[in-house]
Amino acid sequence: MDNMKVLTNGFIKENPVFILVLGMCPTLAVTSSVVNSLGMGLSTTFVLICSNIIVAMIKGFTPAKIRIPVFIVVIATFVTIVDMTMGAFMPALHKSLGLFIPLIVVNCVILGRAEAFASKNNVLSSTLDGISMGLGFTLALSLIGAIREVLGAGTLLGFAVLPKAYIESPMLVAILAPGAFITVGFLMAIINMMKKEK
Amino acid sequence: MEFLAKMMVMAVGAIFVQNFVLARFLGLCPYLGVSKKLDSAFGMGMAVIFVMTMASAITYLIQVYLLIPYGLGYLQTIAFILTIATLVQFVEMVIQKNSPSLYKSLGVFLPLITTNCAVLGVAILNTTAKWADGTPYNFLDAVLNGFFSGVGFTLVLVLMAGMRERLEYANLPKSMKGMPIALIVAGAMALAFLGFSGLKM
C-alpha cells in the first residue's frame, strides 16, 4: 500500500539527485571514488532518517514561524554525531571527505525532506521516506563514483578492472573537477531519454 | 606594501585558483538554480558577497572568543549555521527597513543563502586555513577571504548566466535541454579554470 510506495519512491521515480536535483555539492565533490561516494551516501542517509524521525515527532508543537531554524538545529546535531563518530573510527575516510561532512547540514535533500515530507506525515512513513531518499542518494552517488573511478583511475573499489596500460595513463580529467560536471550531465541526459521512451 | 601583496595573493587564489564553485564544489545549488537570467544571477551574486563577508567576520569572532576559550569546538557546526541563519534574517530586516529598492532586487535571494553551502564552507575553512608559511588567518584575512570567495562565486555565476541565456536558443537534442547541458557547460568552464591551477604563489 502507501508505505510501500513511499519506500520505493526515492530510488528512481523521485531520485533526489537525478530527478529532484537536490544536494548537488556533495554529489559532485566527493564522488571521485566509490568508497568516498558510499561513505558520503550512508552518512547522509543516517542523518536523513534520524532528522525525519525527530521532525515528524516534534511537528505537533513546533511553532510554524520558527520551524526552519528548529529543523536546522536537529539536523546539525546528527551531523555532529556523524562527524565525530567517523573521525574516531574511520579517520582515513573522514580526512578524504573533509569539509563535506559538516556541510551535510546544508545539504538541501535533508532540509527539503524535513520540510516537504516529515513535517506533514507520521513517524513511520517519515522513517520510510528517509530510508528511501537516503538510499536513492547513495545509489546515485555510487553510480557517479563508479563511472569516475573506472574512467579516471582504471580501478573499482580499489581493484584494477582495466588493463595495466590504461591504469598507467588514465583519463585523469574524470576524477578532477570538470569530470564530475560532465559525468553528471550525461547521466541526467540518459535518464531524460529513458523517461521519454516509457 | 607587504599587506597589499598578501591581499593580491589571496584575491587571485580565492577567485581563480581555488574558485568556490568550480574547484571546491561549494554553492552549486544557486549556481545551477539561479543562473537562468543574467540580472537575477547578478543580484544573487551581490547578496552572496555581502553575506559571506559578514559571516566570515562574525563566525571568526565566535570561533576565537567563544568556542576555543571555553573548549566548545565540537559545537562549531551548530553554532555557525545558527549564526548564519540569524545573520541572514537580520540583514533581510535591515535592508527591508532602510532601502526598499535594494530589498526589491536582493530580497528574494536572501532566504536562499542560509542553505548555500558556500557561506558555511567559507566560515569553516577560515578556521583551518593557513598561509604558505604556516601562520593561521587573522581577523582581517578571514574577512577578506570571505569577500574574495564571494567575488569568485559571483564571477562564475554571472558568466554561466550569460551562456545559459544563449543556450535557450541553441538547437539541442531534447534530452540534453536544461540541466544536463548546463552541467556539461559548467564542466567546460571548470576545465578552463583548471588552467589557473598552474599559478604558484
Side-chain angles (χ1 to χ4, degrees):
Chain A
M1 48 156 278
D2 257 344
N3 278 342
M4 206 53 219
K5 224 170 109 193
V6 171
L7 190 59
T8 53
N9 234 351
F11 291 117
I12 299 182
K13 225 178 98 208
E14 281 188 30
N15 187 289
V17 176
F18 295 125
I19 309 294
L20 304 179
V21 201
L22 291 173
M24 292 310 282
C25 304
T27 306
L28 294 168
V30 301
T31 52
S32 54
S33 75
V34 183
V35 177
N36 283 356
S37 304
L38 277 176
M40 189 61 183
L42 293 178
S43 322
T44 309
T45 307
F46 171 76
V47 176
L48 192 54
I49 295 170
C50 295
S51 70
N52 261 6
I53 293 174
I54 301 288
V55 167
M57 282 196 314
I58 62 171
K59 66 169 188 286
F61 50 90
T62 315
K65 271 191 181 155
I66 56 155
R67 66 181 194 287
I68 300 285
V70 171
F71 295 168
I72 290 182
V73 173
V74 171
I75 296 167
T77 312
F78 287 113
V79 171
T80 309
I81 294 174
V82 169
D83 192 6
M84 290 161 87
T85 316
M86 195 184 273
F89 294 106
M90 286 170 271
L93 184 63
H94 187 257
K95 207 163 165 238
S96 68
L97 294 179
L99 180 63
F100 286 91
I101 295 287
L103 286 183
I104 297 177
V105 178
V106 282
N107 187 331
C108 346
V109 176
I110 298 174
L111 191 61
R113 291 325 282 179
E115 169 72 7
F117 196 94
S119 65
K120 297 189 185 85
N121 289 284
N122 61 28
V123 176
L124 178 65
S125 36
S126 299
T127 315
L128 293 177
D129 181 70
I131 297 175
S132 151
M133 283 292 156
L135 291 182
F137 186 72
T138 312
L139 198 74
L141 253 64
S142 311
L143 179 64
I144 302 166
I147 295 175
R148 289 180 67 192
E149 198 182 331
V150 169
L151 287 180
T155 60
L156 192 60
L157 280 166
F159 299 106
V161 289
L162 289 178
K164 201 160 160 264
Y166 187 87
I167 294 175
E168 274 162 10
S169 60
M171 201 166 89
L172 199 61
V173 74
I175 49 172
L176 293 176
F181 286 108
I182 296 170
T183 310
V184 178
F186 276 115
L187 278 173
M188 272 184 187
I190 291 169
I191 287 175
N192 279 347
M193 213 158 72
M194 291 195 321
K195 261 202 319 205
K196 251 171 231 129
E197 274 169 14
K198 259 178 206 167
Chain B
M1 239 2 247
E2 200 195 341
F3 175 71
L4 270 181
K6 253 182 156 180
M7 226 172 87
M8 277 304 290
V9 169
M10 184 178 257
V12 175
I15 297 173
F16 297 111
V17 184
Q18 281 290 326
N19 185 283
F20 252 57
V21 179
L22 298 174
R24 287 198 203 267
F25 292 113
L26 293 168
L28 281 168
C29 297
Y31 177 66
L32 295 169
V34 203
S35 60
K36 283 195 188 119
K37 285 232 169 59
L38 203 53
D39 47 348
S40 57
F42 194 72
M44 180 70 175
M46 289 300 127
V48 167
I49 293 181
F50 187 65
V51 173
M52 271 171 93
T53 315
M54 295 275 286
S56 300
I58 295 177
T59 52
Y60 185 87
L61 295 178
I62 288 183
Q63 172 79 9
V64 172
Y65 292 105
L66 255 170
L67 296 183
I68 293 177
Y70 295 101
L72 296 171
Y74 59 91
L75 283 179
Q76 193 191 50
T77 313
I78 301 180
F80 280 13
I81 190 73
L82 276 181
T83 314
I84 292 168
T86 320
L87 177 73
V88 171
Q89 190 84 50
F90 181 69
V91 168
E92 192 181 349
M93 284 182 337
V94 170
I95 295 183
Q96 193 175 14
K97 194 120 200 333
N98 293 327
S99 160
S101 62
L102 187 64
Y103 181 73
K104 241 181 151 180
S105 56
L106 294 189
V108 281
F109 303 114
L110 283 170
L112 287 175
I113 293 178
T114 311
T115 52
N116 181 344
C117 47
V119 181
L120 184 60
V122 80
I124 296 176
L125 280 173
N126 274 336
T127 64
T128 53
K130 283 189 177 66
W131 289 101
D133 59 5
T135 45
Y137 279 12
N138 62 27
F139 178 68
L140 192 61
D141 295 338
V143 175
L144 284 175
N145 191 25
F147 174 75
F148 288 129
S149 303
V151 172
F153 174 82
T154 308
L155 177 75
V156 293
L157 185 67
V158 170
L159 285 176
M160 182 73 176
M163 281 193 267
R164 276 183 84 175
E165 276 192 346
R166 303 202 172 193
L167 276 178
E168 287 286 304
Y169 307 107
N171 189 11
L172 287 166
K174 254 206 183 110
S175 46
M176 290 294 274
K177 276 208 157 101
M179 204 49 90
I181 191 70
L183 278 162
I184 291 167
V185 167
M189 226 158 121
L191 263 179
F193 269 72
L194 213 56
F196 289 115
S197 65
L199 284 177
K200 286 269 178 302
M201 273 165 295

